[in-house]
């Protein structure tokens, strides 16, 4: 459960997030929308413990993650995994090694267990036969899926997908969405998806948070969005004005 209360954050003295409050239950999956520069990535990183806010609180599973306790912060970070926009794979490592990396950096000692976890994560994104390939040998969609496997490998409670399909052609985007949707449906993790692709929202989540210049213009069910009156939101989705 994520509870954000009156959160305001400035970076380099510039206000980025302004008085944001929302609650996300464990059964929900969040979609963050908004124009470029509206604060989507900063908000997700603030939930992950990277930016201490000037005001307000971020409570993850009943722990105020910025409350002076470095242990709480560390445990929060370990609950989150992020799939970066550019997949961020290390070119000199094989697919298997890229996916194994988080286990290694977290000090997993049991090698057989680690190998099994990597195999399982690759299987979940349909890449069980690509273990020995190197990133340069992969298509854009496959690279994204390796990024997803790397996020899955240590069984996080929360996964952030930051623009998972931007820059992909529609067919490849669909293929990546298929695997994200499986994670969303399986409820093994609560997902937070930042996206510009308004066509496939129901596949990635059920709750929508819409940001505009750091302010939350909308928070609520995806199914209620079409009743929203804000002209900006209607315009964003191509709804007729009401
Ligand atoms: N580490 C940082 N230090 C200072 N300012 C930052 C930092 N990261 C982001 N910003 C600023 O915060 C604002 C919001 O950035 P953010 O990356 O969250 O936007 P976004 O909604 O994710 O945009 P996009 O859709 O283009 O990815 C921008 O003005 C950006 O310049
Ligand atoms: Mg961003």
């Amino acid at each position: 459960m994520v509870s954000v209360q009156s959160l305001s954050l400035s970076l380099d003295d510039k206000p980025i997030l302004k008085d944001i409050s929302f609650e996300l239950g464990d059964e929900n999956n969040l979609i963050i929308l908004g124009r470029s520069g509206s604060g989507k990535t900063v908000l997700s990183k603030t939930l992950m413990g990277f930016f201490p806010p000037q005001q307000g609180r971020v409570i993850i599973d009943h722990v105020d993650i910025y409350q002076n306790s470095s242990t709480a912060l560390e445990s929060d970070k370990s609950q989150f995994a992020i799939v970066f926009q550019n997949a961020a794979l290390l070119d000199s490592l094989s697919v298997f090694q890229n996916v194994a990396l988080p286990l290694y950096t977290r000090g997993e000692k049991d090698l057989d267990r680690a190998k099994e976890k990597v195999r399982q994560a690759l299987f979940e994104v349909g890449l069980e036969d690509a273990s020995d390939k190197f990133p340069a040998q992969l298509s854009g969609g496959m690279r994204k899926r390796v990024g997803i496997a790397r996020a899955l490998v240590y069984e996080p409670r929360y996964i952030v997908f930051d623009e998972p399909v931007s820059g992909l052609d529609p067919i490849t985007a669909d293929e990546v969405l298929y695997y994200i949707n499986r994670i969303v449906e399986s409820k093994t993790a609560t997902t937070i998806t930042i996206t510009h692709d308004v066509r496939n929202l129901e596949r990635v989540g059920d709750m929508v948070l819409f940001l505009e210049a750091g302010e939350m213009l909308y928070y609520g069910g995806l199914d209620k969005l079409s009743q929203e009156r804000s002209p900006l939101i209607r315009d964003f989705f191509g709804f007729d004005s009401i």
Side-chain angles (χ1 to χ4, degrees):
M1 158 105 163
V2 176
S3 175
V4 172
Q5 302 172 358
S6 310
L7 174 79
S8 293
L9 172 81
S10 296
L11 293 173
D12 302 336
D13 291 329
K14 193 174 140 210
I16 307 290
L17 300 174
K18 300 166 191 166
D19 196 22
I20 297 196
S21 301
F22 69 92
E23 282 195 355
L24 184 74
D26 288 341
E27 70 286 7
N28 296 119
N29 293 286
L30 181 65
I31 303 164
I32 304 180
L33 298 167
R35 287 196 278 187
S36 202
S38 57
K40 303 182 296 295
T41 297
V42 169
L43 175 59
S44 69
K45 287 186 174 170
T46 307
L47 301 181
M48 295 178 72
F50 287 104
F51 294 127
Q54 279 77 16
Q55 273 180 47
R57 306 204 290 168
V58 176
I59 297 166
I60 311 274
D61 297 334
H62 308 291
V63 177
D64 182 339
I65 64 164
Y66 290 107
Q67 203 187 36
N68 285 335
S69 155
S70 57
T71 48
L73 193 56
E74 284 312 310
S75 74
D76 177 54
K77 276 185 183 155
S78 68
Q79 293 188 65
F80 274 87
I82 183 161
V83 180
F84 294 100
Q85 186 166 345
N86 57 7
L89 304 181
L90 295 177
D91 288 335
S92 59
L93 299 184
S94 70
V95 164
F96 191 94
Q97 290 166 330
N98 264 287
V99 176
L101 205 57
L103 294 176
Y104 178 74
T105 53
R106 282 177 186 209
E108 171 74 69
K109 298 277 190 303
D110 186 336
L111 213 62
D112 286 336
R113 220 167 86 99
K115 281 184 180 167
E116 188 45 43
K117 282 186 177 180
V118 174
R119 265 195 288 271
Q120 181 62 29
L122 284 170
F123 176 76
E124 280 171 39
V125 295
L127 286 178
E128 59 274 25
D129 296 330
S131 293
D132 299 331
K133 289 198 162 38
F134 284 83
Q137 298 170 288
L138 305 178
S139 67
M142 287 169 92
R143 293 169 69 94
K144 279 271 157 73
R145 282 151 61 196
V146 176
I148 296 172
R150 192 178 49 190
L152 287 174
V153 76
Y154 50 80
E155 296 154 353
R157 288 261 294 109
Y158 299 92
I159 303 181
V160 176
F161 296 102
D162 196 347
E163 302 194 19
V165 299
S166 67
L168 298 178
D169 66 80
I171 294 168
T172 308
D174 214 56
E175 176 194 294
V176 172
L177 276 170
Y178 168 80
Y179 291 101
I180 293 176
N181 178 252
R182 289 218 321 201
I183 296 166
V184 168
E185 300 270 303
S186 72
K187 306 268 180 208
T188 50
T190 297
T191 61
I192 298 173
T193 304
I194 301 169
T195 181
H196 286 127
D197 182 7
V198 298
R199 291 167 311 159
N200 288 297
L201 296 178
E202 69 291 344
R203 295 174 70 183
V204 295
D206 57 346
M207 295 300 283
V208 170
L209 192 161
F210 192 101
L211 281 179
E212 167 67 4
E215 286 183 43
M216 199 172 82
L217 282 196
Y218 177 85
Y219 181 67
L222 175 61
D223 52 346
K224 306 256 172 16
L225 201 58
S226 59
Q227 296 155 30
E228 180 59 28
R229 290 182 169 271
S230 154
L232 181 74
I233 292 180
R234 299 201 71 79
D235 203 30
F236 197 89
F237 289 93
F239 297 145
D240 293 334
S241 50
I242 48 175

